[in-house]
Amino acid sequence: MSTPVDLTKAPAAPPERLLPPTPPLFPARWTGPTAPAPRAVLGAAVAGGAGLAVAVPEDAAGVGWVVAALVLAATTWVVRRPPHPVDAAWGLLAVVLAGVAAVRDAEWLVTICLLAACAAGSLAVGGRSFRGVVTGALVLPVAALRGVRWAGRGLSVARVNLRMALSAAVGIGLVAVFGALLASADAAFAGLVDGLVPAWDVDGVARVLWLSGLGAVGTVGACFLLVAPPDPPQPRLVPPSRLRPAEWALPVGLLVGLFAVFVAVQFATLFGSDAHVLGTTGLTYAEYARSGFWQLLAVTVLALGVIVLGARWAPRRAGRRGLLGALAVLSLVIVASALSRMWLYQEAYGFTVLRLLVLACELWLGLGFLLVLSTVLARRPRRPLRGMVVAGAVALVALAVLDPERFVAGQNVARYAATGQIDASYLSQLSADAVPVLDGLPEPLRTCALGPIAARTDSSGDWRSANLGRARAADVLAGVTPSRGCGSQY
């Protein structure tokens, strides 16, 4: 006998899904440390400020940035020993990124890596407390501002001995007076003093005060985060999607169909070889590579957002894996299309740093699609943002290992050997990293390319500006007459 069904009752709602908490831009609770800053933190702040003031190069980038990064990393060791493996990995990545300044002379690469090192260092002390990489990378400045008051409370409790401070000031004064007299009496000792003590002018004093203050405040902010991190957000229950499977699948399915038709119809154009370009009437290499490249790049970025939002709003039994997986795979084909177009363009007209960076960004987007695809196919929803940030930082290190300007110079020199065409004016704008490769050019192209580099390269700095790229180029540039440049030759 069948049981009667009560049609007056509403159907049961699907169960809610438990997702990781959404990291707030500002934490709801962050009381900070209750006790004043201990003596260890105050000493670490002094060491961090002194290390930054002494090590940061004044002119060209060099090994001083590595020393500054190591000093700042060591000062946080007094607060938490040993660090968490994830935090240690971010800290190591920050030091490695700062180390690019010691081995590469390309100013644009060093600047990007130093900015990435700052973000990685912030994640090393705040990344796990804030479960989002964006807030983790930005939390250190907020903690530094709050840490100033915390350090002030520590100073008031520490009761610094004024008699000892006065004694130290008298000692420094005695060293300065007698040191100046001894330096004037012996040339060798004067040379040693000149190498150790920077020139004290108004700009130099202002620079030392600024860097020491920045290092001290940054160290206090890192210790503030490690001692009292913000409360992590609690897991949240996400209600089920209000969309029916057909309502969700219709727009996503139409987009998948559009991508499939585009890839099928344009397959010969997407992956056309030299024969396809030459066989198409009125189509040059430049037109082939440029036509649609930026549009395809925009398509890949928008498709990435569609997949992330589609996974978030997908109802149960909506075929989420099949449709979004197909969209990710087709988007990877479009990424490969953009990569092939740019590679063909560089082979036809020569490699440049900007074109190489575009290739690197496209490869990073392709990796992002792979991460999103793994997220879509996984049983438990995950956010791929952290993986993309890690991949971007590792890609920067790989780019530094590749030595992009030397790679670009090598490709152009090889192209000149095969075709007799070269843009010596562009190559003369590269940094000292490209000098060992450009040294193999025949005259007058060699002098034309190396003359402006010799005029821009200055190796007269102190130990803080020591750089492997400039050291390798020093012997070659010593025999080159500096010049302002020359015209292009194709």
Side-chain angles (χ1 to χ4, degrees), residues 123-149:
L123 286 168
V125 295
R128 291 190 307 116
S129 299
F130 291 78
R131 297 189 183 180
V133 292
V134 176
T135 51
L138 299 177
V139 66
L140 185 55
V142 179
L145 294 177
R146 296 189 60 184
V148 171
R149 182 179 179 183

Side-chain angles (χ1 to χ4, degrees), residues 61-146:
V63 71
W65 283 110
V66 189
V67 176
L70 289 173
V71 169
L72 293 178
T75 53
T76 60
W77 189 265
V78 301
V79 178
R80 184 175 57 192
R81 300 189 297 263
H84 190 275
V86 176
D87 300 338
W90 281 114
L92 178 61
L93 185 58
V95 174
V96 171
L97 287 169
V100 175
V103 296
R104 298 291 176 254
D105 184 49
E107 184 176 353
W108 62 270
L109 179 62
V110 172
T111 301
I112 295 176
C113 289
L114 288 178
L115 292 176
C118 294
S122 182
L123 286 168
V125 295
R128 291 190 307 116
S129 299
F130 291 78
R131 297 189 183 180
V133 292
V134 176
T135 51
L138 299 177
V139 66
L140 185 55
V142 179
L145 294 177
R146 296 189 60 184

Side-chain angles (χ1 to χ4, degrees), residues 4-12:
V5 179
D6 189 0
L7 300 178
T8 61
K9 293 183 179 181

